[in-house]
Amino acid sequence: MKNCPVCGKEIQERTTKCYSCHSEFTYGKKGRIKYIKRSEDIINERRMEIEKKRYEALPKKVCITCGNTVREGEYYCQLCGEEDAYNGGSTYFEE
Ligand SMILES: [Zn+2]
Ligand SMILES: [Zn+2]
C-alpha cells in the first residue's frame, strides 16, 4: 500500500486514481508516481470543456468588417474591434 500524495489516504499500488480525492497519477519506469493531476484540475478542465461547448453552440454571425465569426452576446468583434458586431453582422452560413 502507498499513500496518496495529495490527500494522504491509502491507495493501491500502481492505481491511477485516488478514490478519496479523485486525483489521478501516472507512473514512471521505477513505479514512482511521475505526474499528479489534482481533482481541482480535473474539475476545471471539465468546466472549461462545458464552457467551450456552450460557447460554440451560441448563434453565430459574420463580422461585416473583417469576416470573423461573432457569437451572440459579443458586443465587439474580437478580431477587428467592430462595435455591435453581432447585431450588425451578416448571417453565418455553415460550410
Ligand atoms: Zn487522494
Ligand atoms: Zn471584425
Side-chain angles (χ1 to χ4, degrees):
M1 286 295 242
K2 278 185 169 184
N3 291 88
C4 169
V6 179
C7 71
K9 284 263 159 81
E10 278 194 344
I11 51 170
Q12 295 290 330
E13 207 60 51
R14 293 216 153 239
T15 185
T16 54
K17 195 174 171 181
C18 170
Y19 288 94
S20 178
C21 69
H22 305 289
S23 295
E24 290 174 6
F25 324 110
T26 54
Y27 292 86
K29 275 181 192 157
K30 287 174 184 169
R32 281 204 194 131
I33 290 174
K34 203 170 110 192
Y35 177 72
I36 307 162
K37 201 182 205 181
R38 288 165 189 267
S39 53
E40 302 99 81
D41 299 337
I42 299 164
I43 291 164
N44 273 340
E45 255 172 41
R46 269 185 212 148
R47 232 180 247 152
M48 275 165 69
E49 239 165 65
I50 292 165
E51 194 54 37
K52 203 178 147 205
K53 276 193 190 136
R54 197 187 62 85
Y55 177 77
E56 278 170 358
L58 285 173
K60 291 179 273 193
K61 278 197 181 177
V62 179
C63 172
I64 48 162
T65 308
C66 71
N68 183 30
T69 307
V70 189
R71 298 288 202 302
E72 188 183 63
E74 289 180 342
Y75 296 108
Y76 292 92
C77 169
Q78 289 180 7
L79 209 64
C80 72
E82 171 71 35
E83 282 182 42
D84 208 17
Y86 182 77
N87 289 327
S90 52
T91 314
Y92 182 94
F93 294 103
E94 294 288 345
E95 279 164 23

